[in-house]
Amino acid sequence: MKNAIFYYKEKDAPKPNKPNHIGTSVLIQCQDKLLLEHRKDSDTWAVIGGGLNIDESLIEGAIREVKEETGILLDKKDLEFYKIYDDPTRIASYPDGNIMRIITVVYRIFLNELPTVVCSSESRELKFFRKEELKDISISATHIPIIEDYLLEIESESICLK
């Protein structure tokens, strides 16, 4: 089975042949750790999330994706908007031939205790990572800017606390 290939700021990325793809992701943080999924379709780690259904709001899509991919039930009042990632070099190429520019609206939530997680059929593994561990794993290219911003924020918070 061919894998999905994700691109970010790569000159050799293929040109999209489908309309823009809008998705949502959620930075799920707990005890100074971030929850990521090890994706089956690309053998890379990514922030929890996925494509928006045509009949749902962005926040509804985020809540649905988290439930589908982790089993965690979220309440929309607990989610906070984080950032929109709309760089036109965020491209996904799928085995079926579809190539799309990816636009992602990211939310975040801070959990007080580590939840029980249930891996979906789309994932190999779910794991909470400390910031130091994030530099040693293969991250999906379209999620690199999300993780970079997360790490910059964590670093600046630790500097402010000193």
Side-chain angles (χ1 to χ4, degrees):
M1 179 176 113
K2 279 181 82 176
N3 283 346
I5 302 171
F6 299 95
Y7 301 87
Y8 174 61
K9 295 193 183 264
E10 294 179 42
K11 291 182 180 175
D12 63 341
K15 299 292 178 216
N17 60 16
K18 295 289 181 188
N20 293 338
H21 174 77
I22 299 173
T24 59
S25 289
V26 180
L27 294 167
I28 301 173
Q29 297 172 253
C30 185
Q31 301 173 357
D32 296 327
K33 295 179 182 178
L34 178 66
L35 181 62
L36 297 179
E37 69 166 325
H38 189 186
R39 295 176 62 117
K40 282 185 179 178
D41 68 353
S42 64
D43 198 26
T44 58
W45 290 91
V47 178
I48 307 302
L52 187 66
N53 288 337
I54 200 158
D55 63 344
E56 64 189 354
S57 69
L58 290 164
I59 204 157
E60 288 169 344
I63 290 168
R64 176 187 50 77
E65 283 291 339
V66 168
K67 182 180 178 205
E68 288 176 2
E69 293 183 5
T70 69
I72 299 172
L73 300 174
L74 299 178
D75 188 319
K76 66 181 177 182
K77 70 177 174 39
D78 297 325
L79 287 175
E80 77 178 48
F81 172 77
Y82 184 70
K83 190 172 178 180
I84 296 173
Y85 291 84
D86 62 352
D87 186 310
T89 68
R90 296 176 76 236
I91 305 291
S93 175
Y94 295 100
D96 64 3
N98 289 327
I99 302 168
M100 295 173 268
R101 173 185 172 195
I102 306 294
I103 299 169
T104 307
V105 176
V106 180
Y107 295 91
R108 76 169 157 195
I109 188 166
F110 297 92
L111 302 177
N112 293 323
E113 55 188 57
L114 286 173
T116 300
V117 293
V118 179
C119 218
S120 77
S121 62
E122 297 176 4
S123 305
R124 295 182 192 279
E125 180 182 2
L126 295 167
K127 182 178 175 183
F128 278 92
F129 287 91
R130 289 185 309 278
K131 68 179 180 183
E132 302 82 24
E133 297 173 304
L134 294 172
K135 297 171 185 170
D136 298 326
I137 59 174
S138 177
I139 295 174
S140 178
T142 54
H143 286 233
I144 288 172
I146 301 170
I147 299 297
E148 287 175 341
D149 285 351
Y150 168 78
L151 289 171
L152 283 172
E153 183 177 51
I154 298 299
E155 290 300 320
S156 68
E157 285 175 3
S158 66
I159 291 170
C160 290
L161 294 175
K162 290 182 181 179

